[in-house]
Amino acid sequence: MRIGAIEAGGTKFICGIGNEQGIIEDKISFPTSEPERTLEQVISYFEHNNVDSIGIGSFGPIDIHPSSSYYGCVTTTPKPGWANFPFLKSLKQVFDVPFGWDTDVNAAALGESMWGSARGLDSCIYYTIGTGIGVGVFAEGRLVHGLVHPEGGHLLTRRHPEDRFEGNCPYHGDCLEGMAAGPAIEKRWNRKGCDIPADHLAWSMEAYYIGQSVTASILMLSPKKIILGGGVMHQKQLYPLIRKEVQSNLNGYVSAKSIVDNIDDYIVPPALGDNAGLCGALALGLQTMEGSGR
Ligand code: ADP
Ligand code: ZN
């Protein structure tokens, strides 16, 4: 079986081909430009590479309700031309194969549950902490959708006592994304995250914010694994700091072995590494082939 995968990011698109074992056999990447031009490149790739199905993990927010007239669109985005552009429909007109469609982070959660850190588990939560913050939720063996889809990147936060940064989310100011995504770190400290030393206050502050939202996720959804990916998590010292925050926030109340004794194996990086997004899209393509998902 040859499955097509599209990781549709706000900065770059990655298209690839893989198989049902989650192995990527080929991939290309190009910058996200206006939708018509970007989709021309996607179409050209899959015209040269026949596939049996295609999974798309997209930047969001997106419309995931098949009965909606904007199904398959990114709904609200400042990216020129993309808001309500018929993304999925344009591809369906060209390729007569089943399509899987979900958020990039829901896709990554599914991919990690099939082939990665949450393999064999029926629940996990996937965070990407990069240019924005996104949260994907896999629970009771399926991806969670609802009114729209989970938007955990915009959870409200309690301020770190030493933090004077006002936050830079255009909608909420000091929500999680406004305080802890890559651009917030850069604005607060006047330098890029990759240039800030590992023992700097920036990282304990970062862990304070991420730890809060991971705690909220645990209390609300009780996932069996928490996976933290995205560019900011290249700062590996964040993992132990976040684990400590979570244990301290919960203070022994959630008496699961995974949290109390074994947290190093509970809050983890994506096992699929930088392929987590593309493998997620592959997982969506596979799921839609098998007709088991939604
Ligand atoms: P995107 O979210 O656009 O898909 P990334 O996940 O790579 O892409 O996230 C990019 C963000 O992560 C930028 O704000 C960048 O400054 C930050 N970032 C990338 N690498 C590092 C690093 N090593 N340390 C800290 N921040 C980083
Ligand atoms: Zn926000």
Side-chain angles (χ1 to χ4, degrees), residues 151 153-156 168-178:
E151 280 288 7
H154 296 266
L155 281 169
L156 302 182
N168 68 348
C169 172
Y171 290 89
H172 319 110
D174 59 1
C175 68
L176 179 65
E177 181 173 296

Side-chain angles (χ1 to χ4, degrees), residues 11-12 128-132 181-183 185-186 192-194 203 230-232 234-235:
T11 316
K12 66 175 191 287
T128 184
I129 301 148
T131 306
I185 299 171
E186 187 174 342
K192 284 194 174 300
C194 56
W203 303 118
V232 172
H234 287 149
Q235 298 287 330

Side-chain angles (χ1 to χ4, degrees), residues 217-244:
S217 300
I218 293 169
L219 293 170
M220 202 65 149
L221 293 156
S222 210
K224 292 181 181 160
K225 193 76 82 177
I226 301 211
I227 302 159
L228 305 177
V232 172
M233 293 308 300
H234 287 149
Q235 298 287 330
K236 295 294 176 213
Q237 74 281 8
L238 279 172
Y239 289 94
L241 293 172
I242 292 166
R243 291 172 187 134
K244 213 164 133 208

